[in-house]
């Protein structure tokens, strides 16, 4: 019994000693209560257990990370677009050069066919003018025509009669069929 009494007395002394070292910290208590309040609100909003709240947190974090690197993605896409625009410009330029080469040949052949179709003094010009890039390139192509000597060529839609138009289209069709 003495031994038990000594053990209890020693335990009591330790507890008093421990208690005296504890400092009341109302600020820390307030922080803990505030965190519990936040957790309760999260439970109401996102689910009753912590794993559901965590899932939602990681989902939002993933979305945030994607959005935060969005500017980098935009810059990469701008660079890619710039390279593709340059490539398109180069291709449009090559196409334009080829069109101009073919246009001279085309003009001569059409004039030749028009003479065979009894237009005495035909003038046929493929007019190629630059325009903004589109799906067909950077050339605006129109046909200029005159059926009489001394008359300036005008856009074919403005100056050719129906008979002349028929013969021009027959010449074009004949030339294209021969290739």
């Amino acid at each position: 019994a003495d031994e038990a009494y000594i053990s209890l007395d020693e335990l009591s002394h330790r507890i008093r000693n421990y208690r005296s070292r504890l400092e009341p910290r109302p600020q820390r208590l307030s922080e803990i209560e505030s965190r519990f309040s936040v957790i309760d609100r999260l439970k109401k909003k996102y689910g009753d257990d912590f794993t559901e709240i965590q899932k939602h947190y990681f989902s939002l974090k993933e979305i945030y990370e994607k959005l935060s690197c969005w500017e980098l993605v935009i810059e990469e896409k701008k660079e890619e677009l710039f390279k593709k625009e340059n490539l398109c410009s180069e291709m449009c330029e090559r196409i334009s050069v080829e069109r101009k080469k073919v246009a001279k040949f085309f003009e001569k052949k059409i004039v030749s066919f028009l003479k065979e179709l009894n237009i005495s003094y035909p003038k046929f010009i493929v007019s190629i003018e630059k325009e903004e890039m589109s799906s067909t390139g950077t050339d605006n192509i129109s046909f200029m025509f005159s059926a009489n000597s001394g008359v300036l060529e005008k856009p074919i839609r403005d100056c050719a009669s129906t008979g002349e138009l028929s013969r021009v289209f027959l010449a074009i069709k004949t030339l294209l069929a021969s290739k």
Side-chain angles (χ1 to χ4, degrees), residues 35-61:
R35 289 183 77 175
F36 275 127
S37 174
V38 168
I39 290 171
D40 286 340
R41 277 185 279 144
L42 290 173
K43 281 182 178 179
K44 286 178 185 175
K45 193 169 184 178
Y46 301 112
D48 279 340
D49 76 351
F50 188 70
T51 56
E52 290 180 39
I53 295 170
Q54 236 179 354
K55 283 180 189 175
H56 189 72
Y57 167 77
F58 288 123
S59 169
L60 291 175
K61 186 176 179 182

Side-chain angles (χ1 to χ4, degrees):
D2 276 342
E3 213 174 285
Y5 178 76
I6 292 172
S7 291
L8 279 174
D9 190 43
E10 189 178 313
L11 183 60
S12 171
H13 180 65
R14 283 185 182 172
I15 290 173
R16 272 187 247 120
N17 192 13
Y18 176 73
R19 190 172 159 205
S20 69
R21 285 185 286 151
L22 290 177
E23 296 176 23
R25 297 187 305 185
Q27 184 178 354
R28 177 74 177 134
L29 180 61
S30 175
E31 288 174 7
I32 292 171
E33 287 175 346
S34 174
R35 289 183 77 175
F36 275 127
S37 174
V38 168
I39 290 171
D40 286 340
R41 277 185 279 144
L42 290 173
K43 281 182 178 179
K44 286 178 185 175
K45 193 169 184 178
Y46 301 112
D48 279 340
D49 76 351
F50 188 70
T51 56
E52 290 180 39
I53 295 170
Q54 236 179 354
K55 283 180 189 175
H56 189 72
Y57 167 77
F58 288 123
S59 169
L60 291 175
K61 186 176 179 182
E62 183 180 333
I63 291 169
Y64 173 77
E65 287 171 357
K66 285 180 182 177
L67 290 175
S68 65
C69 67
W70 190 248
E71 290 176 353
L72 180 62
V73 171
I74 289 174
E75 287 303 315
E76 288 173 356
K77 294 299 179 186
K78 282 181 180 178
E79 181 67 27
E80 187 179 321
L81 178 63
F82 179 74
K83 288 177 182 176
K84 287 184 179 185
E85 284 177 341
N86 284 340
L87 179 64
C88 282
S89 292
E90 290 173 15
M91 293 173 80
C92 286
E93 189 58 35
R94 283 190 231 144
I95 290 170
S96 184
V97 168
E98 289 300 314
R99 282 177 174 159
K100 289 173 183 169
K101 287 179 190 175
V102 170
K104 296 298 177 196
F105 169 80
F106 190 74
E107 290 171 359
K108 290 177 186 174
K109 286 292 190 179
I110 295 297
V111 167
S112 172
F113 283 127
L114 290 174
K115 286 180 179 177
E116 291 176 19
L117 294 170
N118 292 326
I119 296 181
S120 302
Y121 302 102
K123 294 179 195 166
F124 185 86
I125 297 173
V126 177
S127 172
I128 301 175
E129 296 175 3
K130 288 283 185 198
E131 66 178 9
E132 284 193 37
M133 190 182 329
S134 70
S135 61
T136 59
T138 56
D139 296 329
N140 180 12
I141 300 172
S142 60
F143 298 142
M144 309 293 278
F145 176 74
S146 171
N148 300 311
S149 177
V151 177
L152 288 175
E153 303 84 11
K154 293 181 183 175
I156 197 167
R157 67 178 175 271
D158 296 338
C159 67
S161 67
T162 54
E164 291 167 340
L165 275 177
S166 297
R167 288 183 267 181
V168 169
F169 287 126
L170 179 60
I172 292 172
K173 187 175 177 181
T174 304
L175 177 60
L176 294 176
S178 70
K179 291 285 170 187

